[in-house]
Amino acid sequence: MNVYFRCMNIIFASQNPNKIREINSILEGKINIVGLDPLLFKNELPETGNTLEANALQKARFVFAATGNACFADDTGLEIESLNGRPGVFSARYAGEEKNADRNMEKILEELANIKNRSAQFRTVIAYLNGTEEKLFEGIVKGEIANMKVGSNGFGYDPIFIPEGQSKSFAEMDLEKKNTISHRARAFQKFKLFLLSGNI
């Protein structure tokens, strides 16, 4: 197993195929990454931190300890001003431990039903480990919460988030358009520049 791991340039500590597809698009094939599923890595990743930074580091450290290979992990939160920053670090399981995206969105729309201020931001934090250093990279996109779910592309909260300066939700955009403005794209552009500078 370790021989196979070490053939890879860098491991992405994720079992989410949507994220992997999105990130491969952002990286444009310039960096060889692999998710956990092809490596038969079935352990559940720990996410018990109180911040996005803590969760990203926790996941990356867990996979690095198991593989000894350079790896990175990310954590993303939707932070809504009128909800005092919620759901934030609990975004994936806001409506329950089953991590149901539709229920998460429904809960937020209910909580904002009579609230005029719908300002929000998406924030992504990437944690990278290579055995000698740990690095964090952050990407933020501001916007607002829509009145209803719109669009079928993307994943997570994309159908209810309208980025600043746009009239469509992330879920109404194709991947190429989303990757020019999204929080994840902004964080991974910073990460890509770091890696392409010879820091793998």
Side-chain angles (χ1 to χ4, degrees):
M1 178 73 88
N2 281 338
V3 172
Y4 183 69
F5 270 119
R6 292 181 185 281
C7 290
M8 300 299 171
N9 286 340
I10 185 169
I11 296 169
F12 179 27
S14 176
Q15 292 151 328
N16 185 327
N18 292 307
K19 273 190 183 181
I20 294 166
R21 184 172 67 92
E22 192 170 292
I23 290 164
N24 272 320
S25 175
I26 294 167
L27 297 178
E28 300 172 325
K30 294 180 180 178
I31 298 160
N32 182 35
I33 70 166
V34 63
L36 296 178
D37 282 348
L39 304 178
L40 303 179
F41 190 98
K42 299 300 181 183
N43 306 61
E44 185 172 353
L45 299 179
E47 289 184 281
T48 59
N50 293 321
T51 65
L52 300 179
E53 290 82 357
N55 274 347
L57 280 167
Q58 190 177 40
K59 290 185 285 187
R61 288 168 180 164
F62 182 78
V63 171
F64 182 81
T67 67
N69 205 97
C71 66
F72 67 95
D74 77 320
D75 201 25
T76 293
L78 175 62
E79 300 169 342
I80 301 173
E81 188 173 303
S82 294
L83 300 181
N84 298 315
R86 298 195 316 272
V89 72
F90 303 108
S91 292
R93 51 179 61 85
Y94 193 48
E97 289 298 320
E98 68 274 15
K99 299 182 180 180
N100 185 293
D102 285 322
R103 289 183 181 176
N104 287 338
M105 287 186 282
E106 288 164 7
K107 181 175 180 179
I108 284 174
L109 292 176
E110 287 173 7
E111 291 180 329
L112 294 179
N114 299 309
I115 296 178
K116 290 183 178 180
N117 179 8
R118 305 178 77 85
S119 297
Q121 67 176 24
F122 261 130
R123 189 163 69 93
T124 289
V125 175
I126 300 165
Y128 170 71
L129 284 73
N130 63 7
T132 59
E133 62 180 339
E134 296 181 346
K135 290 283 187 178
L136 293 174
F137 306 85
E138 181 186 64
I140 295 174
V141 60
K142 295 184 180 298
E144 62 179 27
I145 303 300
N147 292 313
M148 64 181 70
K149 292 184 285 186
V150 185
S152 58
N153 296 327
F155 58 99
Y157 291 98
D158 284 356
I160 64 170
F161 185 82
I162 302 173
E164 193 171 60
Q166 304 293 318
S167 59
K168 296 181 178 180
S169 74
F170 271 149
E172 294 179 278
M173 300 177 186
D174 59 32
L175 188 57
E176 183 178 3
K177 173 65 175 178
K178 181 183 176 183
N179 282 347
T180 64
I181 59 175
S182 80
H183 48 296
R184 190 169 287 107
R186 291 173 179 179
F188 273 91
Q189 287 297 340
K190 295 176 184 177
F191 183 43
K192 179 171 75 172
L193 289 175
F194 172 77
L195 293 178
L196 292 178
S197 298
N199 293 297
I200 293 177

